[in-house]
C-alpha cells in the first residue's frame, strides 16, 4: 500500500475513533447508538483535521522540496526517473534524492578543483615558455640599443639570435592556437582517402636538413611497391607525422636511424615511428602527451621545441577515433604508433589507379 496524506489520515482517524469509542464504552449505561455516533464523529473529525494537517504541514512541503530538487537536477543535466512524488516513503526518497544531488555536486566540485589546478599549471607553463624567448630577444635588442649596434659583427650576431628567439615565440603561439582550436572543435576535419606513403615521404623531405645535421637516416622499414590508403585528414595527419618523426630525429643519438613502418589490417592501417635514442622512463610515458611536459627539461630546452607537439598529436589522432600508443626502453629508443581506418572498398579501388609519388 502506498502511503500518502489520505492513507495516513484514515489510519490515524480510525485509531482515534476506536480509542474514543473504547473509552466511552467503559462508562456504565451508555447506549450502543451513542457509541456508534461517537465513533462516526471521532472518525470524521480526525480524518478532516489529520488530512488537512498532513497536506499543509508535511506532504505539501515535501512536495515543494522534491520539485526544487527536480529543477536543480534538470539544471545539472541529471533527470530523475520519477516525474512526481509517488513513493512508499516520501522522506526516504527525498533523502535519497538529496544524497544523489550532493554526490553529483561533490563530483562537480572535484572536477572544478582539478580544472583549477590544471589552469594554474597551464598558466605557469605558458608564462615560463613565453618568458624565455621574450626575455632573450629583449636582452639582445636592448644590448644593441645601448651601443652595440655600432659594431657590425656584434649587431648581426645579436639580430640573428633575437630573430631565432622571436621565431621560437611564433612557433609557440602558433602551436597554442592550433591546440586550442582542435580542443574547442574550431578545426574541422576534412576526411578523405590519403596515400599515407606520400605523406610520410613529404615529412622525410621536410626534415632532410635536420636529419643530415645529426647524420640520422630516416627510412622506411621495407620497400612499399603499392600505395597504402587511409581515411583521414591529409593536413592533420601530415602534422602528426611531422611531429613524431621530428621528435624521433631530435632525441635520437647522432649517426642513428629512424624507421617508418606501415602494417595493413583488414579494417585499418597501423603506422609506426621507431627511433633508437634516449628512450622514455615508464613513469613519464603517461604524461608525455600533456602540454609542456618534458621528460628531461634541461635537455629538452637545449633541443628546442615548444613542448606542445605530442599534445597536438594526441588530439588529432583522437579526432580520428584512434589512440597513440607508446612503447619505450630507456637508452634503447621508443616506438610511437597509431591506427587509421582504411577507405571503403569502392573508394580504394578508384584511388588505387593514382600513380605512386616518385
Amino acid at each position: 500500500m502506498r502511503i500518502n496524506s489520505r492513507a495516513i489520515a484514515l489510519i490515524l482517524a480510525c485509531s482515534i475513533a476506536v480509542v474514543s469509542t473504547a473509552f466511552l464504552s467503559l462508562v456504565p449505561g451508555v447506549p450502543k447508538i451513542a457509541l456508534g455516533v461517537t465513533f462516526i464523529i471521532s472518525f470524521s473529525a480526525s480524518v478532516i483535521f489529520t488530512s488537512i494537517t498532513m497536506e499543509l504541514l508535511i506532504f505539501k512541503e515535501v512536495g515543494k522540496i522534491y520539485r526544487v530538487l527536480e529543477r536543480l537536477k534538470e539544471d545539472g543535466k541529471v533527470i530523475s526517473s520519477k516525474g512526481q512524488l509517488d513513493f512508499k516513503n516520501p522522506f526516504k526518497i527525498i533523502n535519497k534524492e538529496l544524497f544523489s544531488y550532493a554526490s553529483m555536486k561533490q563530483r562537480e566540485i572535484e572536477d572544478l578543483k582539478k580544472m583549477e589546478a590544471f589552469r594554474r599549471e597551464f598558466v605557469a607553463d605558458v608564462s615560463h615558455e613565453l618568458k624565455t624567448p621574450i626575455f632573450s630577444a629583449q636582452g639582445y635588442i636592448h644590448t644593441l640599443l645601448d651601443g652595440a649596434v655600432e659594431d657590425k659583427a656584434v649587431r648581426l650576431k645579436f639580430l640573428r639570435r633575437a630573430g631565432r628567439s622571436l621565431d621560437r615565440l611564433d612557433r609557440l603561439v602558433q602551436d597554442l592556437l592550433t591546440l586550442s582550436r582542435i580542443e574547442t572543435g574550431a578545426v574541422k576535419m576534412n576526411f578523405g582517402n590519403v596515400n599515407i606513403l606520400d605523406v610520410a615521404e613529404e615529412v622525410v623531405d621536410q626534415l632532410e636538413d635536420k636529419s643530415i645535421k645529426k647524420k640520422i637516416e630516416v627510412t622506411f622499414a621495407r620497400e612499399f611497391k603499392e600505395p597504402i590508403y587511409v581515411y583521414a585528414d591529409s593536413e592533420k595527419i601530415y602534422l602528426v607525422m611531422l611531429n613524431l618523426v621530428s621528435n624521433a630525429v631530435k632525441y635520437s643519438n647522432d649517426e642513428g636511424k629512424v624507421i617508418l613502418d606501415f602494417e595493413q589490417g583488414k579494417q585499418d592501417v597501423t603506422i609506426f615511428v621507431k627511433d633508437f635514442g634516449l628512450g622514455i622512463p615508464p613513469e613519464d610515458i603517461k604524461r608525455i602527451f600533456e602540454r609542456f611536459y618534458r621528460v628531461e627539461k634541461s635537455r629538452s630546452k637545449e633541443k628546442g621545441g615548444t613542448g606542445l607537439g605530442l599534445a597536438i598529436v594526441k588530439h588529432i589522432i583522437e579526432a580520428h577515433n584512434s589512440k597513440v600508443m607508446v612503447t619505450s626502453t630507456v637508452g634503447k629508443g621508443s616506438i610511437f604508433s597509431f591506427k587509421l581506418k582504411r577507405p571503403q572498398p569502392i573508394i580504394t579501388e578508384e584511388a588505387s589507379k593514382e600513380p605512386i609519388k616518385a
Side-chain angles (χ1 to χ4, degrees):
M1 181 181 71
R2 296 185 182 276
I3 299 177
N4 53 36
S5 60
R6 292 182 181 179
I8 293 175
L10 288 172
I11 293 171
L12 289 176
C14 186
S15 300
I16 293 171
V18 168
V19 171
S20 300
T21 304
F23 270 105
L24 186 61
S25 67
L26 297 176
V27 179
V30 177
K32 292 183 179 180
I33 189 169
L35 294 176
V37 171
T38 300
F39 181 87
I40 293 172
I41 293 173
S42 298
F43 180 81
S44 301
S46 298
V47 166
I48 293 171
F49 288 114
T50 305
S51 179
I52 292 173
T53 302
M54 296 294 293
E55 281 289 342
L56 294 179
L57 298 183
I58 299 177
F59 280 88
K60 185 177 181 180
E61 298 304 319
V62 169
K64 289 180 181 178
I65 294 172
Y66 187 77
R67 285 191 291 274
V68 169
L69 280 174
E70 284 295 309
R71 287 196 294 270
L72 289 173
K73 292 177 72 175
E74 287 176 4
D75 291 341
K77 305 303 180 184
V78 179
I79 307 301
S80 175
S81 59
K82 296 286 185 179
Q84 57 184 357
L85 190 60
D86 186 20
F87 305 95
K88 292 183 178 180
N89 189 333
F91 298 102
K92 183 177 180 180
I93 198 61
I94 287 293
N95 181 63
K96 181 180 177 181
E97 293 291 328
L98 284 171
F99 180 79
S100 174
Y101 182 72
S103 299
M104 179 184 70
K105 289 302 176 182
Q106 182 62 35
R107 288 193 297 271
E108 290 180 1
I109 291 171
E110 291 174 357
D111 290 341
L112 286 172
K113 287 181 178 179
K114 290 179 182 178
M115 290 176 63
E116 176 63 17
F118 175 78
R119 186 191 65 80
R120 287 197 301 267
E121 183 179 350
F122 177 68
V123 170
D125 288 337
V126 170
S127 300
H128 178 73
E129 295 292 336
L130 291 173
K131 178 179 66 178
T132 302
I134 290 174
F135 281 8
S136 179
Q138 188 179 43
Y140 292 129
I141 292 172
H142 280 299
T143 302
L144 292 172
L145 292 174
D146 289 339
V149 70
E150 301 299 333
D151 188 326
K152 184 177 179 180
V154 172
R155 180 176 67 222
L156 291 175
K157 181 172 67 176
F158 277 24
L159 285 174
R160 289 194 190 97
R161 291 179 179 177
R164 285 196 295 270
S165 296
L166 293 174
D167 287 342
R168 184 187 172 199
L169 180 62
D170 178 66
R171 289 196 302 272
L172 177 60
V173 171
Q174 291 300 324
D175 284 352
L176 279 171
L177 289 173
T178 300
L179 187 57
S180 176
R181 291 174 64 198
I182 293 173
E183 288 180 336
T184 57
V187 174
K188 302 299 181 183
M189 295 292 167
N190 299 312
F191 289 95
N193 297 330
V194 181
N195 183 358
I196 194 65
L197 295 180
D198 285 349
V199 176
E201 287 177 0
E202 189 175 350
V203 168
V204 173
D205 290 341
Q206 178 68 25
L207 296 173
E208 183 177 10
D209 292 340
K210 185 176 181 179
S211 58
I212 289 175
K213 286 182 181 178
K214 292 193 66 176
K215 299 180 180 178
I216 291 175
E217 181 184 4
V218 182
T219 183
F220 290 165
R222 56 189 180 277
E223 184 180 359
F224 295 94
K225 297 182 179 180
E226 298 293 332
I228 300 176
Y229 287 95
V230 295
Y231 188 66
D233 184 313
S234 178
E235 292 183 3
K236 306 303 184 300
I237 292 302
Y238 170 81
L239 187 58
V240 167
M241 294 290 293
L242 184 66
N243 275 295
L244 292 179
V245 178
S246 177
N247 279 352
V249 172
K250 185 189 303 181
Y251 294 107
S252 289
N253 299 320
D254 291 352
E255 300 183 7
K257 182 181 289 188
V258 173
I259 297 176
L260 307 181
D261 198 6
F262 307 89
E263 290 186 1
Q264 301 184 68
K266 291 183 179 180
Q267 297 182 345
D268 48 44
V269 176
T270 306
I271 296 92
F272 298 88
V273 178
K274 182 177 182 179
D275 67 71
F276 302 88
L278 302 175
I280 305 168
E283 63 272 16
D284 291 314
I285 287 181
K286 292 182 179 180
R287 300 197 61 189
I288 58 175
F289 295 101
E290 295 179 12
R291 287 179 282 194
F292 300 115
Y293 186 79
R294 301 176 189 270
V295 176
E296 294 182 52
K297 295 186 182 296
S298 59
R299 298 185 67 175
S300 297
K301 292 286 186 181
E302 294 172 2
K303 294 177 181 294
T306 63
L308 296 170
L310 289 180
I312 293 173
V313 166
K314 174 178 176 289
H315 282 84
I316 291 176
I317 295 302
E318 287 179 349
H320 284 74
N321 296 319
S322 187
K323 184 178 180 180
V324 185
M325 306 299 293
V326 186
T327 57
S328 184
T329 303
V330 176
K332 294 186 178 180
S334 306
I335 302 175
F336 286 77
S337 63
F338 59 93
K339 293 182 178 182
L340 295 174
K341 295 294 183 183
R342 294 173 65 95
Q344 296 296 322
I346 296 177
I347 299 175
T348 305
E349 185 176 348
E350 293 175 354
S352 63
K353 298 177 183 180
E354 297 180 17
I356 302 176
K357 192 173 181 178

